[in-house]
Amino acid sequence: PHLLLEPSSTNLVTFSEDFSQSVWNKANISVSNNTIVSPDGTLNASTITTSNTSHSLFFNFTSVASTQYTFSFYAKRGTMTDLKYRVYDLSNDGDIVAPTSYYAQTNSDRWERIILTFTTPSGCTSARVYPVSNSGVTGTMFLFGCMVEQQAFSTSYIPTAGTTITRAAETCNNSKPSVNSTEGVLYVELAALADDLTFRGVSLSDGSYSNRCVLRYGGTSNRTNVLVSSGGSTVFDNNSTSLNILDFNKIAVKWKANDFAFWINGVEVATDTSGAAPIGLLQLQFADSINSGGFLYGKVKGLAVYNEALSESQ
């Protein structure tokens, strides 16, 4: 289990589950609703049957040119021996993603979420997504939960039934911790949702930039950064690009006067033996700065503050 914190996102697909609606254009395809249990555990997923080797099921949406989108849906194998998706540029009349097989990603025993990130070309103000496109075979497959999001990664499923739906950004707050300002350790085990260079992390501070300890991702690809400031001056600032930040990693910073250390997955990455300890630490938050940005959108398995500068073995 882990804590999932996600940014605000909008599902641009207006009927994410009911593929019989007219907003879903169908060619040589029939839709049978509520025939199989979906990933949410209820009988609300659809059976898709193709009657010709040339077939399509698609949804049109208004797009912004030169912008990243992520298309996702849940699929399960039926009798069809191939499955393909497609993304089409209606403004310039050409494929953004040509028909591509995702059959190898699917299974007949369980649902799999298919995720595709693409960038609209210059001048593309209208686009089309196909969860089912000409596969060259006939038969059945199962479909549920289509989403199109205007961002570079997928978020958890947002169901719709006639309109676009927006989920608010998620936050997590707690009361002020009791922290020993003279020494301690800030620890987190986390995975980023995307390696998109934006800053996101956790911080312990006095409510300002003057005294703080920050563990964060961002700036450059797969970059992990630790930052400690005291009295308005940076006393410890180190980086590592040795990680895949999409995986869970255990990161820690130790602070004490003239004794700072940066740890990743049990390995000491950097130390510093000069500098004052931060003072007045009382605010712990899922952000890399003071209530203004760098909010942690990711997965968190553990978060801890220790009131002593732990030993290397600890």
Side-chain angles (χ1 to χ4, degrees):
H2 58 261
L3 173 66
L4 175 63
L5 297 173
E6 295 182 306
S8 175
S9 188
T10 300
N11 187 357
L12 301 176
V13 177
T14 53
F15 281 95
S16 63
E17 299 174 12
D18 187 355
F19 305 103
S20 66
Q21 294 289 332
S22 60
V23 296
W24 283 100
N25 295 269
K26 294 166 277 288
N28 297 319
I29 273 179
S30 63
V31 175
S32 299
N33 289 334
N34 307 322
T35 56
I36 185 172
V37 175
S38 76
D40 71 12
T42 56
L43 189 69
N44 58 353
S46 300
T47 300
I48 307 298
T49 303
T50 61
S51 58
N52 189 292
T53 55
S54 177
H55 49 258
S56 63
L57 175 68
F58 62 83
F59 175 83
N60 297 333
F61 69 98
T62 300
S63 60
V64 179
S66 305
T67 300
Q68 283 191 308
Y69 288 84
T70 297
F71 174 39
S72 63
F73 55 92
Y74 290 90
K76 191 175 182 181
R77 290 182 189 177
T79 60
M80 294 175 67
T81 56
D82 197 11
L83 299 167
K84 291 183 178 180
Y85 55 55
R86 184 184 186 187
V87 182
Y88 194 79
D89 177 356
L90 291 169
S91 301
N92 298 309
D93 195 22
D95 281 324
I96 300 173
V97 179
T100 302
S101 178
Y102 60 88
Y103 185 78
Q105 300 177 54
T106 62
N107 192 286
S108 59
D109 298 323
R110 64 180 182 272
W111 291 96
E112 299 290 349
R113 194 179 191 192
I114 309 302
I115 299 173
L116 171 65
T117 297
F118 61 92
T119 301
T120 52
S122 174
C124 176
T125 58
S126 183
R128 173 180 292 171
V129 290
Y130 297 72
V132 186
S133 183
N134 296 335
S135 64
V137 299
T138 60
T140 61
M141 58 90 65
F142 307 103
L143 189 64
F144 177 78
C146 280
M147 286 181 65
V148 174
E149 304 172 80
Q150 188 180 322
Q151 57 187 11
F153 57 92
S154 65
T155 65
S156 54
Y157 175 53
I158 304 171
T160 63
T163 63
T164 61
I165 297 293
T166 299
R167 180 187 54 241
E170 297 166 335
T171 59
C172 182
N173 305 297
N174 78 323
S175 58
K176 294 180 179 179
S178 176
V179 177
N180 178 0
S181 286
T182 59
E183 63 178 86
V185 172
L186 173 62
Y187 162 85
V188 65
E189 182 178 2
L190 65 88
L193 297 181
D195 183 21
D196 59 4
L197 311 189
T198 59
F199 283 108
R200 82 306 300 262
V202 296
S203 66
L204 183 62
S205 74
D206 65 352
S208 74
Y209 291 106
S210 296
N211 294 278
R212 59 175 177 157
C213 298
V214 181
L215 296 172
R216 61 185 179 181
Y217 292 146
T220 59
S221 180
N222 284 321
R223 176 178 179 261
T224 306
N225 171 246
V226 58
L227 175 69
V228 180
S229 60
S230 176
S233 299
T234 298
V235 293
F236 189 46
D237 187 358
N238 274 276
N239 307 298
S240 173
T241 56
S242 63
L243 303 179
N244 180 349
I245 67 171
L246 302 182
D247 296 334
F248 278 102
N249 294 288
K250 300 176 180 180
I251 308 166
V253 57
K254 177 182 72 173
W255 75 88
K256 188 178 181 180
N258 303 320
D259 184 9
F260 301 90
F262 176 23
W263 291 75
I264 297 177
N265 295 326
V267 177
E268 191 173 60
V269 176
T271 62
D272 197 324
T273 57
S274 176
I279 58 175
L281 302 180
L282 52 77
Q283 181 169 294
L284 178 65
Q285 62 181 26
F286 288 95
D288 82 330
S289 56
I290 314 305
N291 295 323
S292 61
F295 297 108
L296 175 59
Y297 297 127
K299 306 171 186 177
V300 182
K301 281 189 175 180
L303 175 65
V305 178
Y306 298 91
N307 276 332
E308 60 178 325
L310 301 177
S311 67
E312 289 190 5
S313 60
Q314 290 172 316

